[in-house]
Amino acid sequence: LCDDIRDGDATPPRHRARWLSEAIAALDAADVPPAGLPPRVTVFGVASLPPLFVELLRALARHVPVRLY
């Protein structure tokens, strides 16, 4: 199943925490919004978020509107 998902890519997948940390660093370093970002981010009904997800939303908010409900 993993091979099917990765479509035969021989490189091992990155750990999710590493990917999030790299995404946050890239968003923080970017002066203009990186290509592929949505026009806005809306999060509904979240009672709590892990600190890394809060950091990701903060970094995204530098480039696109982020709303929490």
Side-chain angles (χ1 to χ4, degrees), residues 38-46 49 57 60 64-69:
R40 66 189 162 279
V41 174
T42 305
V43 181
F44 287 97
V46 177
L49 285 173
L57 292 174
L60 274 171
V64 297
V66 175
R67 295 194 173 104
L68 301 170
Y69 295 96

Side-chain angles (χ1 to χ4, degrees), residues 1-62:
L1 178 63
C2 290
D3 287 337
D4 290 340
I5 292 172
R6 290 180 19 216
D7 194 27
D9 185 4
T11 58
R14 290 184 295 183
H15 190 274
R16 184 170 296 168
R18 180 180 298 258
W19 181 89
L20 285 169
S21 295
E22 291 172 0
I24 291 166
L27 288 167
D28 283 340
D31 291 330
V32 296
L37 289 182
R40 66 189 162 279
V41 174
T42 305
V43 181
F44 287 97
V46 177
S48 65
L49 285 173
L52 196 56
F53 289 8
V54 174
E55 282 298 306
L56 178 63
L57 292 174
R58 179 207 49 82
L60 274 171
R62 292 187 63 236

